[in-house]
Amino acid sequence: MKTLNKRITQYLARDWVKDNALAAITGILIIGTLVIFALNSDTTATVETATVVFSVSAPDKYSAADGYLLARLEDGKAIQLSLPQGWIQPAPGKHIRVKRITRLFFGERFVLLKD
Protein backbone atom coordinates (compact mmCIF):
# COMPACT_ATOMS: atom_id res chain seq x y z
CA MET A 1 0.00 0.00 0.00
CA LYS A 2 2.89 2.38 0.74
CA THR A 3 4.35 1.97 -2.74
CA LEU A 4 0.95 2.72 -4.29
CA ASN A 5 0.61 5.90 -2.21
CA LYS A 6 4.13 6.89 -3.12
CA ARG A 7 3.48 6.39 -6.86
CA ILE A 8 0.22 8.36 -6.68
CA THR A 9 1.96 11.18 -4.85
CA GLN A 10 4.76 11.27 -7.43
CA TYR A 11 2.24 11.22 -10.28
CA LEU A 12 0.23 14.08 -8.74
CA ALA A 13 3.41 16.10 -8.10
CA ARG A 14 4.58 15.69 -11.71
CA ASP A 15 1.11 16.55 -12.96
CA TRP A 16 1.02 19.70 -10.79
CA VAL A 17 4.42 20.81 -12.09
CA LYS A 18 3.32 20.25 -15.70
CA ASP A 19 0.11 22.22 -15.15
CA ASN A 20 1.77 25.18 -13.45
CA ALA A 21 5.10 25.41 -15.27
CA LEU A 22 3.68 27.59 -18.05
CA ALA A 23 2.09 29.97 -15.55
CA ALA A 24 5.35 30.25 -13.57
CA ILE A 25 7.44 30.90 -16.69
CA THR A 26 4.91 33.48 -17.93
CA GLY A 27 4.96 35.24 -14.56
CA ILE A 28 8.74 35.38 -14.52
CA LEU A 29 8.81 36.82 -18.06
CA ILE A 30 6.20 39.47 -17.22
CA ILE A 31 8.00 40.53 -14.05
CA GLY A 32 11.34 40.60 -15.90
CA THR A 33 9.89 42.75 -18.67
CA LEU A 34 8.42 45.21 -16.16
CA VAL A 35 11.71 45.46 -14.30
CA ILE A 36 13.65 46.12 -17.53
CA PHE A 37 11.22 48.86 -18.61
CA ALA A 38 11.25 50.43 -15.14
CA LEU A 39 15.06 50.50 -15.01
CA ASN A 40 15.51 51.65 -18.64
CA SER A 41 16.59 55.16 -17.67
CA ASP A 42 18.32 57.85 -19.69
CA THR A 43 22.11 57.60 -19.72
CA THR A 44 23.45 60.19 -22.16
CA ALA A 45 22.07 63.16 -24.04
CA THR A 46 23.62 64.99 -26.97
CA VAL A 47 22.35 67.94 -28.98
CA GLU A 48 22.44 67.46 -32.74
CA THR A 49 21.32 69.30 -35.84
CA ALA A 50 18.65 67.83 -38.10
CA THR A 51 17.06 68.91 -41.37
CA VAL A 52 13.27 68.96 -41.66
CA VAL A 53 12.07 66.70 -44.47
CA PHE A 54 8.31 66.83 -44.00
CA SER A 55 5.88 68.28 -41.47
CA VAL A 56 2.17 67.70 -41.05
CA SER A 57 -0.64 68.83 -38.79
CA ALA A 58 -2.95 65.94 -37.98
CA PRO A 59 -5.97 67.18 -36.02
CA ASP A 60 -8.02 64.63 -34.17
CA LYS A 61 -11.07 64.72 -31.95
CA TYR A 62 -9.04 65.38 -28.78
CA SER A 63 -6.89 68.33 -29.82
CA ALA A 64 -7.14 70.83 -32.62
CA ALA A 65 -3.57 70.72 -33.86
CA ASP A 66 -1.22 67.83 -33.29
CA GLY A 67 1.91 68.56 -35.29
CA TYR A 68 4.42 65.98 -36.39
CA LEU A 69 7.56 66.31 -38.44
CA LEU A 70 10.01 63.99 -40.11
CA ALA A 71 13.64 65.05 -39.87
CA ARG A 72 16.93 63.64 -41.06
CA LEU A 73 19.95 63.72 -38.76
CA GLU A 74 23.47 64.43 -40.00
CA ASP A 75 24.30 60.71 -39.90
CA GLY A 76 21.38 59.97 -42.27
CA LYS A 77 18.94 58.58 -39.71
CA ALA A 78 15.31 59.65 -40.21
CA ILE A 79 13.36 60.44 -37.04
CA GLN A 80 9.82 61.49 -36.22
CA LEU A 81 9.20 64.27 -33.74
CA SER A 82 5.99 65.63 -32.30
CA LEU A 83 5.57 69.38 -32.03
CA PRO A 84 4.38 70.83 -28.73
CA GLN A 85 1.11 72.75 -28.67
CA GLY A 86 1.37 76.21 -30.16
CA TRP A 87 4.55 75.61 -32.16
CA ILE A 88 4.58 76.66 -35.79
CA GLN A 89 5.65 73.90 -38.13
CA PRO A 90 9.09 74.51 -39.62
CA ALA A 91 9.42 74.57 -43.39
CA PRO A 92 11.06 71.64 -45.19
CA GLY A 93 14.82 72.14 -45.48
CA LYS A 94 15.08 74.17 -42.28
CA HIS A 95 17.69 73.12 -39.72
CA ILE A 96 16.46 72.35 -36.22
CA ARG A 97 18.15 71.30 -32.99
CA VAL A 98 17.31 67.88 -31.57
CA LYS A 99 18.35 66.25 -28.30
CA ARG A 100 19.25 62.56 -28.73
CA ILE A 101 18.74 60.68 -25.46
CA THR A 102 20.25 57.20 -25.21
CA ARG A 103 18.63 54.69 -22.86
CA LEU A 104 20.39 52.28 -20.49
CA PHE A 105 19.24 48.96 -21.95
CA PHE A 106 17.95 49.76 -25.42
CA GLY A 107 16.54 52.50 -27.56
CA GLU A 108 16.90 56.17 -28.17
CA ARG A 109 14.44 59.00 -27.99
CA PHE A 110 14.53 62.40 -29.60
CA VAL A 111 13.27 65.73 -28.27
CA LEU A 112 12.83 68.87 -30.34
CA LEU A 113 14.63 71.87 -28.81
CA LYS A 114 13.45 75.45 -29.04
CA ASP A 115 15.83 77.70 -30.97
Side-chain angles (χ1 to χ4, degrees), residues 11-76:
Y11 174 76
L12 291 175
R14 275 192 226 112
D15 191 44
W16 183 85
V17 169
K18 287 180 190 175
D19 288 344
N20 295 314
L22 182 62
I25 291 170
T26 304
I28 290 170
L29 288 175
I30 289 172
I31 290 171
T33 303
L34 291 174
V35 166
I36 286 174
F37 276 106
L39 297 177
N40 193 22
S41 60
D42 300 341
T43 56
T44 60
T46 58
V47 177
E48 300 181 13
T49 304
T51 305
V52 176
V53 176
F54 179 74
S55 62
V56 65
S57 175
D60 59 6
K61 65 182 180 179
Y62 300 111
S63 64
D66 286 338
Y68 301 96
L69 64 92
L70 184 68
R72 185 169 306 280
L73 295 173
E74 293 172 346
D75 62 359

